[in-house]
């Protein structure tokens, strides 16, 4: 276990009220272990026992993770997903099973009703398969209904998919999806911010949803009712500056009120994967050239692109540095960086940093 | 037969290429009979026989209309619908069966697939019944599928409905809808710009669609495929400055591509009649007060409304006069006039003219 993962469990164990402060400190470059020590002194100044207890729990969690083939990836790890690092409250640690390279490409979330109709499941499977066939990884929540249909669609198309859990990775919920989680870990990654052993309590799922959207460039909602958790994911996506799209459906069943409400609020209508690709600005002509659409625009922007001008060729910069230089909020900046990356104008390097790529036009 | 209807058939008999010129001349106040005489001299200067033949055909059509209980309403007739008078190419004559007062209130068109699914027919019936229950008349095209479901929905709710045909009124198409046409004429009006006896040729239907939208404040499209005639109605509505709304549906069947394309282009999503009422700006709270929503806004606008300022109390003005004074195009002006009318700030009087109503606030 390396130094980074060794500091994972303590930073996970701090009270949730500290999360924003914690994210800011991590973003500012403070090593997680130092940060934990500082927070511990502030929150439990006269309770060395409490600090020791947290450290013991953390060590137990790390040991349990190791025993269960779960790998923690901390904020400062180069493998930590850059898109998630850009949200206001990124998890300090991601507990993972599978290959974290799964989130290196373009990611699209597909979420929706647990009590999904056959129609919704069919749409989820079809969209996921079509996205996967074009090299886009599908993010979802491993839930019954739309989520699992989306994961299966991507897997059946030999694509990559990412499941974000609302429990520890060794406590798969719903239990009957354990084989699906195993399949996902073989071909993508299963991930949670919750330490191994954490049960799937209802309060974990709304916060889990911010990770689904935070990993993704866009969130597609299928068959969400009026109070669907998918609407939380959609709201998170909007707050994070990601695209929100929705699949229309029957207006008489009441099953689509949430999805239609999103459409009324300006979410893009999705009938097919092409609609999603169009919204992302990536090519829709064929699977051979994923970036045909954006390539042209980025190419024509050339060195006049204000974000490119903030990057020194060969010198990696992190999101905050680029944000400071460009004057753009990280949440607004990230979609542009992703476009530039897809266009080959910049490349992602370790620690969620970006480097400008100069090449002949 | 009055003087107005006596001039109906000749003006209907002129070549279709003259329609725009003809509308402009009628809008300028030229009596239809004078206009026909002038056009006849221009188009057939050396063929008095041709003119006589047209007059003879026209007289026969008027006679046939009278024999079939069909009433022609010419442009200059006070009963001519003001909304239709505002379009760029209004029919010089409307041949009608039923009570033309049917179009005096708020009109909404519901159009869609002829080969409609059970879902589309069910939505059409429900929306039409709900609109009719709130005092809104439903306009459609008497076609199989969505159109007839909408007419029936309005009738079953004891409401008013208007059918616009693509044939003469005595040649109902499809023939099995003759009883429906009879029911509509009893409770609303059946109307066509085509002289009695005209067969339902395919080329008549696209032009018929401009009348459906031209009569209406909004057009609701249900289950239109990619090449549906309903999309023509929607395009006419946009050109005429009317609202376009669409009902979402299944994305896998291919049946809703046209309706979803409208949504992608900004048409409002319709799940229920409330969505339509909201778009019209009329009250959605209950059926007792149709204008609750707009009443407030018009009341608060008071005499500061620039259109009201163009109207002299007690002195009727037609659309062109108001357009000239306000600098607004008639197509843009009409929805505002309708709002003011609903708010009770103006009233519609004979010949498609409007008069300002001054009353205590």
């Amino acid at each position: 276990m390396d130094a980074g993962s060794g500091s994972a469990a303590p930073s996970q164990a701090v009270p949730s009220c500290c999360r924003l402060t914690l994210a800011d400190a991590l973003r500012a470059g403070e090593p997680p272990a130092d940060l934990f020590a500082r927070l511990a002194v502030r929150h439990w100044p006269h309770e060395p026992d409490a600090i020791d207890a947290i450290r013991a729990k953390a060590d137990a969690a790390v040991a349990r993770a190791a025993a269960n083939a779960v790998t923690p990836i901390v904020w400062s790890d180069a493998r930590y997903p850059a898109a998630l690092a850009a949200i206001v409250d990124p998890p300090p640690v991601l507990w993972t099973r599978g290959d974290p390279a799964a989130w290196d490409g373009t990611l699209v979330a597909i979420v929706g009703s647990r009590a999904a109709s056959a129609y919704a499941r069919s749409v989820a499977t079809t969209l996921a398969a079509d996205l996967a066939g074009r090299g886009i990884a599908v993010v979802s929540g491993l839930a019954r209904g739309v989520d699992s249909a989306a994961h299966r669609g991507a897997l059946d198309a030999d694509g990559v998919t990412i499941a974000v859990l609302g429990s520890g990775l060794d406590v798969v919920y719903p239990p009957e999806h354990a084989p699906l989680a195993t399949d996902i870990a073989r071909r993508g990654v299963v991930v949670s911010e919750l330490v191994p052993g954490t049960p799937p309590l209802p309060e974990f799922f709304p916060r889990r949803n911010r990770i689904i959207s935070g990993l993704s460039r866009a969130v597609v909602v299928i068959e969400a009712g009026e109070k669907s958790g998918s609407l939380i994911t959609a709201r998170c996506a909007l707050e994070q500056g990601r695209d929100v799209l929705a699949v229309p459906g029957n207006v008489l069943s009441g099953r689509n009120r949430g999805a239609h409400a999103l459409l009324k609020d300006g979410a893009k209508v999705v009938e097919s994967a092409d609609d999603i690709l169009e919204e992302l600005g990536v090519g829709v002509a064929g699977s051979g050239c994923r970036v045909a659409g954006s390539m042209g625009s980025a190419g024509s922007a050339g060195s006049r692109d204000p974000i490119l001008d903030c990057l020194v060729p060969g010198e990696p910069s992190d999101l905050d540095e680029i944000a400071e230089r460009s004057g753009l909020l990280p949440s607004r900046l990230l979609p542009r960086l992703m476009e530039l990356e897809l266009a080959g104008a910049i490349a992602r390097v370790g620690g969620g940093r970006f480097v400008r790529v100069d090449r002949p036009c």
Side-chain angles (χ1 to χ4, degrees), chain A residues 236-308:
Chain A
C236 290
L238 290 173
E239 289 171 1
Q240 294 162 354
R242 316 299 160 93
D243 291 323
V244 174
L245 306 92
V247 174
N250 191 307
V251 299
L252 299 175
S253 70
R255 288 175 170 279
N256 294 292
R257 291 221 180 97
H260 291 158
L262 292 173
L263 293 179
K264 289 174 183 173
D265 285 346
K268 165 134 186 187
V269 175
V270 173
E271 289 188 288
S272 69
D274 281 349
D275 293 318
I276 303 167
L277 296 170
E278 190 179 283
E279 185 71 1
L280 296 179
V282 301
V284 298
S287 58
C289 178
R290 277 166 48 198
V291 295
S294 58
M295 186 72 92
S297 58
S300 64
S303 62
R304 288 169 306 173
D305 189 293
I307 294 172
L308 278 187

Side-chain angles (χ1 to χ4, degrees), chain A residues 18-281:
Chain A
C18 302
R19 292 261 171 86
L20 289 182
T21 322
L22 195 148
D24 283 345
L26 287 171
R27 233 191 285 271
E30 187 169 358
D34 295 359
L35 175 58
F36 174 69
R38 185 165 63 78
L39 286 175
V41 168
R42 189 199 301 164
H43 286 276
W44 303 280
H46 311 298
E47 298 172 68
D49 289 352
I51 297 171
D52 288 345
I54 289 173
R55 282 194 191 279
K57 272 173 72 180
D59 286 343
V62 169
R64 180 168 179 157
N68 283 281
V70 169
T71 305
I73 295 178
V74 297
W75 164 276
S76 52
D77 193 314
R79 295 169 299 172
Y80 194 96
L84 190 62
I87 75 171
V88 85
D89 51 354
V93 187
L94 293 174
W95 304 86
T96 67
R97 249 187 202 150
D99 184 0
W103 53 55
D104 280 350
T106 302
L107 272 57
V108 168
I110 296 180
V111 296
S113 172
R114 286 191 298 275
S117 67
Y119 166 69
R121 292 196 304 274
S122 178
V123 173
T125 304
T126 304
L127 287 180
D130 289 349
L131 289 174
R134 301 188 200 201
I136 290 175
V138 174
V139 184
S140 197
L142 201 77
R144 297 185 180 102
V146 165
D147 286 19
S148 52
H151 289 304
R152 275 275 167 234
L155 291 174
D156 291 348
D158 290 333
V160 172
T161 184
I162 297 170
V164 186
L165 307 195
S167 59
L169 287 201
D170 52 350
V171 193
V172 171
Y173 181 84
E176 69 268 28
H177 285 175
L180 176 58
T182 303
D183 289 350
I184 294 171
R186 271 195 209 110
R187 295 277 298 288
V189 63
V190 184
V191 61
S192 174
E193 68 174 322
L194 299 163
V195 294
T198 307
L201 300 182
E203 58 262 39
F204 295 145
F205 288 85
R207 278 191 63 76
R208 181 275 310 264
N209 293 350
R210 86 189 193 287
I211 304 177
I212 292 178
S213 56
L215 282 168
S216 309
R217 277 191 59 190
V219 171
V220 180
V221 175
I222 304 174
E223 200 175 81
E226 267 173 308
K227 296 181 177 179
S228 167
S230 308
L231 300 183
I232 298 175
T233 315
R235 204 190 56 223
C236 290
L238 290 173
E239 289 171 1
Q240 294 162 354
R242 316 299 160 93
D243 291 323
V244 174
L245 306 92
V247 174
N250 191 307
V251 299
L252 299 175
S253 70
R255 288 175 170 279
N256 294 292
R257 291 221 180 97
H260 291 158
L262 292 173
L263 293 179
K264 289 174 183 173
D265 285 346
K268 165 134 186 187
V269 175
V270 173
E271 289 188 288
S272 69
D274 281 349
D275 293 318
I276 303 167
L277 296 170
E278 190 179 283
E279 185 71 1
L280 296 179

